[in-house]
Amino acid sequence: MRPLVTDLLGDVIEGVELGHLSPVPRFPTKAWRQECVELAVQRAIELDRDGRHLLLSGDPVAAGEVLAAPSADQIDASICLLDATPEVQMARLRGRGDPEAPLVHHVAYAEWLRSHAVDPTHVPEVLTANSWQPMRWERWTTVESGDSRWAMTRLDSSDLDPAEVAQAAAQWCIDSFDGRAPIFPRR
């Protein structure tokens, strides 16, 4: 999906996955993912200086991880949960050849992400336990459930083909650039 979105938006955006920012270890850890999120934030800061934007996609990164990255106080962040029903998610993962055993964990994490998207207080230890030490968790763990500052977009891709998902994601990007999508302002 990321290449399709970047094709639609051109040079205004740079699309990356975590593995583009740092070599993926044989056994990726939560701490590795969080270090990569910091690298993504640093890249977003660089691009912002040139009037460009970063699209981090392809990896399940929670809003709390983006906001808690050490350099995140230097950027505005717009976050979109690209979602699908558990049945569609399982079918897509199987379709790309993922092994069967971890699929239940992918679905469980997606369910947690859905809850996290609407409630910042939902089981924060999913991110904070065994985390990368420099993370600044207080940037989101102090936000309470129902706080209007905790707002992001959820895009349900369950009934969309890849081109439709890309078009919807590109429109979300444009809405974010123009201030029509929720933004976590730098602070």
Side-chain angles (χ1 to χ4, degrees):
M1 190 271 309
R2 179 188 37 76
L4 296 174
V5 174
T6 55
D7 285 348
L8 290 170
L9 295 175
D11 289 341
V12 71
I13 198 163
E14 179 178 302
V16 300
E17 295 182 21
L18 297 178
H20 296 141
L21 302 167
S22 178
V24 180
R26 183 166 181 218
F27 300 106
T29 64
K30 187 186 314 180
W32 170 83
R33 182 180 71 225
Q34 293 165 353
E35 286 183 73
C36 287
V37 170
E38 170 62 10
L39 294 174
V41 168
Q42 290 176 10
R43 182 64 184 145
I45 292 166
E46 291 172 20
L47 291 170
D48 185 56
R49 290 185 195 121
D50 296 328
R52 297 181 65 216
H53 305 276
L54 182 77
L55 174 64
L56 175 61
S57 67
D59 301 290
V61 174
E65 286 177 311
V66 174
L67 300 175
S71 300
D73 60 347
Q74 299 176 50
I75 60 164
D76 295 333
S78 186
I79 298 173
C80 178
L81 174 61
L82 184 56
D83 201 6
T85 65
E87 298 78 20
V88 169
Q89 181 186 15
M90 296 275 277
R92 289 177 180 168
L93 292 171
R94 286 180 180 125
R96 72 179 193 191
D98 282 23
E100 191 68 28
L103 295 185
V104 68
H105 301 292
H106 289 289
V107 171
Y109 189 61
E111 181 60 37
W112 180 85
L113 285 168
R114 276 184 215 99
S115 295
H116 178 67
V118 296
D119 180 1
T121 66
H122 180 73
V123 196
E125 55 273 8
V126 167
L127 300 180
T128 60
N130 302 313
S131 65
W132 186 47
Q133 200 63 20
M135 297 296 276
R136 303 281 312 277
W137 298 119
E138 71 280 0
R139 290 193 186 134
W140 70 272
T141 57
T142 56
V143 178
E144 296 192 21
S145 184
D147 189 318
S148 63
R149 294 175 297 165
W150 190 259
M152 62 197 78
T153 302
R154 179 180 169 264
L155 174 59
D156 186 348
S157 68
S158 299
D159 297 324
L160 304 177
D161 66 34
E164 292 170 322
V165 173
Q167 185 61 49
Q171 185 60 55
W172 166 76
C173 289
I174 292 166
D175 290 347
S176 295
F177 305 156
D178 294 340
R180 293 188 309 266
I183 302 281
F184 291 97
R186 66 191 80 203
R187 47 182 172 132

